[in-house]
Amino acid sequence: MVSSNFKLAETINQMSIQVKFFASLREKVGHNDVELASAQNALEAWQLATNNMTAPENLLVAINLDYAKLESTLNDGDEVAFFPPVTGG
Amino acid sequence: MVSSNFKLAETINQMSIQVKFFASLREKVGHNDVELASAQNALEAWQLATNNMTAPENLLVAINLDYAKLESTLNDGDEVAFFPPVTGG
Amino acid sequence: MSSWVSETSIEPWSLIAEQQSKQTIQGEFGATATFIGTMRDFSDRPDISRMLLEHYPAMTSRYLDKLEQSAREKWALLDCLIVHRVGEVTPGDAIVVIACWSAHRRAALDACNWLIEELKHQAPFWKKEFNAQGGEWVTGNTDGH
Amino acid sequence: MSSWVSETSIEPWSLIAEQQSKQTIQGEFGATATFIGTMRDFSDRPDISRMLLEHYPAMTSRYLDKLEQSAREKWALLDCLIVHRVGEVTPGDAIVVIACWSAHRRAALDACNWLIEELKHQAPFWKKEFNAQGGEWVTGNTDGH
């Protein structure tokens, strides 16, 4: 029981945030995917995953596949993606 | 020479105007094509070719394949067409 | 650029593919916009079984050419196709095919939109619809809604 | 209704014809509007030889579905098709195919126009163009002119 509770506490403190980069940002940052153990919001995830690179002005953010903001709060299990303006079609 | 001049005079006095009707107007008037020996304008052509039928309000007129008006003057050799609003496409 | 009237059944996607296969603008065009008008089995009246498409042949070709010409003057089109069916059609048959090719998308989209509206209000075609109650001439084109 | 991403070459007119062959709306639809986006051999830079289309797969399918759903809420569409190419393409290759079917023409035309604009500004696709000088990411979609 004690061991099990201890593990639970550990899980609560240690979030899992998946960070993804696409297109020119992927090349600039130098990697596709990073897993973070904690990040309060998208901005903190950006800072941690890029070693404090300055965020471009036209940076787009998606949390769990929907557009979001840099100030948007992150929760355990979230996937946050950073990318430049889209150019499909 | 005399005979030839006489023929020329005849041609000048006697115009040839082709009158055409389309769609519901063709059915209403009861014929497609009429040739008139003279008509000053489209309205007169309508009156002569339809036995003075009242012209419908939405009547469309084309002279030599271009939209025209009932008051538009006719010249020898002209083709004047009468039809209801177009419904293609 | 081509426009014509067809007295026999038209297959829109084959027509457009064929037009494209004859083009020499590959790499130049970035946009194709098309509109296909197809016969429905209803109008203001239900259960339309067939339709007769009448036209004024000499004026029709002149007007289809004119429409194409005007569209080319208004927009930077690389190619354009207008085909209109005449004669007897049944529900599901294509009535009109319009396709516009351009480098950038607004030209093709706007020209295609303009062409179908102009065609509907200018080109000398008339529809007579038949159902069990008999034939009736369509009295006017709507605004498309 | 269907939307998908294709990793291999797409042939627009066959795709649309095939979609239509699966429909059960014959006699109901009177209008089909389509837009095809095709790769050009130029952009702001000349002589583009190839292009890489990257996307964010999970978000892309979600967004194409969302776009279709929104279009159906805004207009009375009977069917809708959205296909977007990813991977490496060369000039003349189709990049996007949009087709809308409706009873009356304004719905299909307006929905098609709206869908291409929304797709260009919302769906997570990115283009990297290559010419003899190397590769460059396209920095933003234009307003279509």
Side-chain angles (χ1 to χ4, degrees):
Chain A
M1 285 289 278
V2 172
S3 149
S4 160
N5 279 345
F6 180 69
K7 265 192 168 170
L8 187 64
E10 218 178 37
T11 312
I12 287 164
N13 288 333
Q14 186 160 337
M15 296 161 71
S16 166
I17 306 283
Q18 299 295 327
V19 185
K20 287 174 176 284
F21 298 93
F22 290 96
S24 55
L25 278 182
R26 178 175 48 71
E27 292 184 351
K28 211 167 160 188
V29 171
H31 44 229
N32 297 354
D33 296 358
V34 185
E35 187 175 351
L36 296 178
S38 98
Q40 282 206 295
N41 54 31
L43 178 60
E44 198 186 333
W46 167 269
Q47 291 166 334
L48 291 169
T50 65
N51 277 325
N52 285 310
M53 201 179 273
T54 307
E57 266 186 41
N58 57 12
L59 178 70
L60 293 177
V61 183
I63 297 175
N64 299 332
L65 314 179
D66 272 321
Y67 284 103
K69 294 178 177 178
L70 276 174
E71 312 86 62
S72 303
T73 307
L74 292 174
N75 297 304
D76 184 29
D78 280 356
E79 175 171 304
V80 56
F82 298 103
F83 45 82
V86 301
T87 57
Chain B
M1 284 290 278
V2 173
S3 152
S4 162
N5 278 345
F6 179 72
K7 266 192 168 168
L8 186 66
E10 219 178 37
T11 311
I12 287 164
N13 290 332
Q14 187 160 335
M15 298 163 69
S16 167
I17 306 284
Q18 299 295 327
V19 186
K20 287 173 175 286
F21 299 92
F22 290 96
S24 55
L25 278 183
R26 178 176 47 71
E27 293 184 350
K28 211 169 159 188
V29 171
H31 46 229
N32 297 354
D33 295 359
V34 184
E35 188 175 352
L36 297 178
S38 97
Q40 281 207 296
N41 54 30
L43 177 60
E44 198 187 332
W46 167 269
Q47 290 165 336
L48 290 169
T50 65
N51 276 327
N52 284 310
M53 201 180 271
T54 308
E57 265 187 42
N58 56 11
L59 179 69
L60 293 177
V61 183
I63 297 175
N64 299 332
L65 314 179
D66 272 320
Y67 284 103
K69 295 178 177 176
L70 277 173
E71 313 83 64
S72 303
T73 307
L74 292 174
N75 297 303
D76 185 30
D78 280 356
E79 175 172 304
V80 56
F82 298 103
F83 45 82
V86 300
T87 57
Chain C
M1 310 269 166
S2 22
S3 71
W4 73 87
V5 160
S6 174
E7 292 181 7
T8 55
S9 176
I10 50 181
E11 209 295 283
W13 316 116
S14 307
L15 273 183
I16 298 168
E18 201 191 321
Q19 178 80 6
Q20 206 162 288
S21 74
K22 289 182 287 186
Q23 290 169 352
T24 55
I25 55 170
Q26 185 149 317
E28 283 179 64
F29 75 91
T32 315
T34 80
F35 177 82
I36 318 297
T38 303
M39 191 192 159
R40 293 188 306 258
D41 56 17
F42 65 95
S43 62
D44 298 339
R45 300 192 301 154
D47 304 321
I48 306 294
S49 56
R50 65 187 179 95
M51 190 162 77
L52 207 60
L53 276 160
E54 181 173 329
H55 75 134
Y56 180 2
M59 188 172 171
T60 309
S61 4
R62 185 172 162 77
Y63 259 76
L64 296 187
D65 285 354
K66 260 189 160 180
L67 284 179
E68 244 191 75
Q69 200 53 46
S70 303
R72 289 174 72 178
E73 282 161 20
K74 285 174 195 287
W75 293 280
L77 298 183
L78 294 167
D79 195 13
C80 180
L81 173 71
I82 308 176
V83 183
H84 202 291
R85 179 69 196 280
V86 292
E88 186 168 308
V89 294
T90 52
D93 284 350
I95 294 170
V96 62
V97 173
I98 294 174
C100 298
W101 287 262
S102 61
H104 305 283
R105 71 185 180 283
R106 286 264 47 97
L109 284 162
D110 293 349
C112 183
N113 192 83
W114 182 85
L115 278 168
I116 183 60
E117 294 304 325
E118 288 293 305
L119 187 148
K120 284 206 164 245
H121 293 102
Q122 298 276 347
F125 294 98
W126 301 275
K127 291 172 180 156
K128 188 175 191 174
E129 298 173 334
F130 295 83
N131 68 7
Q133 280 67 54
E136 261 182 42
W137 289 97
V138 178
T139 52
N141 268 325
T142 64
D143 60 359
H145 292 282
Chain D
M1 308 266 165
S2 22
S3 71
W4 72 87
V5 160
S6 173
E7 292 181 8
T8 54
S9 175
I10 50 180
E11 209 296 285
W13 317 116
S14 308
L15 273 183
I16 297 169
E18 201 191 321
Q19 178 80 6
Q20 205 162 290
S21 74
K22 290 182 287 186
Q23 291 169 352
T24 55
I25 55 171
Q26 185 150 319
E28 285 179 63
F29 75 90
T32 315
T34 79
F35 177 82
I36 318 296
T38 303
M39 191 192 159
R40 292 187 307 258
D41 57 15
F42 65 95
S43 62
D44 298 337
R45 300 192 301 155
D47 304 321
I48 306 294
S49 57
R50 64 187 179 96
M51 191 163 75
L52 208 61
L53 276 160
E54 180 173 330
H55 74 134
Y56 180 2
M59 187 170 171
T60 310
S61 4
R62 185 174 162 77
Y63 259 76
L64 296 187
D65 285 354
K66 260 190 161 180
L67 284 179
E68 243 191 76
Q69 198 53 48
S70 303
R72 289 175 71 177
E73 282 161 19
K74 283 173 195 288
W75 292 279
L77 298 183
L78 294 168
D79 196 13
C80 181
L81 172 72
I82 308 176
V83 182
H84 202 292
R85 179 70 195 280
V86 292
E88 186 167 309
V89 294
T90 51
D93 285 350
I95 294 171
V96 62
V97 174
I98 293 175
C100 298
W101 287 263
S102 61
H104 304 282
R105 72 184 179 282
R106 287 265 45 99
L109 285 162
D110 292 349
C112 183
N113 192 83
W114 182 85
L115 278 167
I116 183 60
E117 293 304 325
E118 288 293 306
L119 187 149
K120 285 205 164 247
H121 293 103
Q122 299 275 348
F125 294 98
W126 300 275
K127 291 172 180 156
K128 188 175 191 175
E129 297 173 334
F130 295 82
N131 67 6
Q133 280 67 55
E136 259 181 43
W137 290 97
V138 178
T139 52
N141 268 324
T142 64
D143 61 0
H145 292 282

